[in-house]
Amino acid sequence: MSPFVTKVKAATAYKRLPFTHREYVGIAELRKLNPQTGKVPIALFGTDVLFDSSLILRRLDAEQPSPPLIAEDPATAARQYLLEDWSDESLYWYVQALRWSDKNEPRTLAENRKFVPAPLRLFAKPILRRLVGRQPQAQGLGRLPEEMLIAELALRLDNLVTLLARDPFFHADRPSVADFAIYGVSTTGFSGATPEFAEAFASRPALVEWRSRMDAAISG
Ligand SMILES: N[C@@H](CCC(=O)N[C@@H](CS)C(=O)NCC(=O)O)C(=O)O
């Protein structure tokens, strides 16, 4: 469900680095492993525990420089870093706002229920609402009327289409941190809880073709 987990897994697979993935980490264990932010993903490199998908991708490049996750040219690299950050800190909230809209909330709850410990599952709805469901309201996008949110999202997806008219990946001829971030968010957008996102993305052939290129690059 987490775009940031998908981003890390996809970048690790792209680099052909072996890894094991644990989907479920209990809340107590999560707080112990990552007291700083209490968020996923967390990556263990031997005894080093890293949090934050962007910091984990930097470490992946340090561990295994080839293929690189950022362009050599500084101007291109700057655009890729900025796009990665835009995806993590803005595009993500469009999807979150749609996931927790009145219409989509029941589907989102159904997808997330399994992450609530079994004895507390009866209270899954208030727990999940409090932990994550309120976040889009706090961030702001969750307060927009839905038509406005979807119209703005459509414009941002058009911006991505414009960028892809120039290059097969964002600002480059191979995937970078920008591509992995957007790949993660769009994967969550296709989970089934946000038909509005899925429809907006799927109706833009350039984006669909870009995701196919990403799938090919990740799976080799
Ligand atoms: N900037 C962080 C964001 C991580 C994040 O927001 N993860 C969400 C899951 S998608 C989370 O753990 N949310 C629980 C919370 O906010 O307490 C990253 O890139 O790793």
Side-chain angles (χ1 to χ4, degrees):
M1 282 310 111
S2 167
F4 307 107
V5 172
T6 305
K7 173 183 165 188
V8 168
K9 282 176 65 186
T12 312
Y14 171 64
K15 280 184 174 281
R16 310 289 176 255
L17 283 167
F19 67 97
T20 51
H21 171 228
R22 261 179 68 199
E23 187 176 15
Y24 177 74
V25 179
I27 289 174
E29 192 185 359
L30 179 60
R31 297 249 157 90
K32 208 168 130 203
L33 283 168
N34 179 9
Q36 186 70 35
T37 68
K39 294 185 183 226
V40 292
I42 312 162
L44 276 72
F45 291 81
T47 53
D48 286 358
V49 183
L50 262 73
F51 56 82
D52 195 285
S53 63
S54 300
L55 300 179
I56 296 167
L57 262 54
R58 310 290 174 264
R59 174 69 178 259
L60 290 177
D61 257 349
E63 293 281 330
Q64 170 77 54
S66 174
L69 295 175
I70 199 77
E72 229 176 275
D73 168 55
T76 308
R79 290 188 193 99
Q80 292 171 335
Y81 281 131
L82 287 171
L83 199 53
E84 175 191 34
D85 199 51
W86 167 79
S87 179
D88 288 358
E89 304 301 338
S90 179
L91 182 62
Y92 167 67
W93 292 109
Y94 282 88
V95 175
Q96 287 302 96
L98 287 172
R99 282 177 73 75
W100 291 95
S101 71
D102 291 345
K103 190 155 36 97
N104 295 336
E105 189 192 66
R107 279 191 286 259
T108 302
L109 287 169
E111 282 181 359
N112 283 291
R113 212 175 293 277
K114 65 179 177 208
F115 297 110
V116 176
L120 296 176
R121 221 158 272 169
L122 205 60
F123 309 104
K125 189 168 166 173
I127 290 174
L128 290 167
R129 271 184 172 170
R130 194 167 65 82
L131 284 179
V132 278
R134 285 190 202 153
Q135 290 178 344
Q137 291 281 330
Q139 188 269 349
L141 280 176
R143 300 182 208 180
L144 291 187
E146 195 176 298
E147 327 76 68
M148 210 179 272
L149 184 73
I150 293 170
E152 273 300 306
L153 172 65
L155 291 175
R156 297 294 79 75
L157 295 182
D158 285 341
N159 294 154
L160 295 181
V161 169
T162 301
L163 293 181
L164 289 172
R166 288 182 32 177
D167 299 295
F169 298 98
F170 292 107
H171 302 298
D173 56 7
R174 64 178 168 208
S176 76
V177 291
D179 297 87
F180 288 104
I182 297 167
Y183 184 81
V185 175
S186 56
T187 301
T188 301
F190 277 112
S191 76
T194 52
E196 306 84 357
F197 180 93
E199 209 179 292
F201 198 99
S203 65
R204 289 168 170 79
L207 296 181
V208 175
E209 286 156 22
W210 164 80
R211 265 192 72 90
S212 300
R213 286 194 291 279
M214 284 299 288
D215 287 333
I218 293 160
S219 64

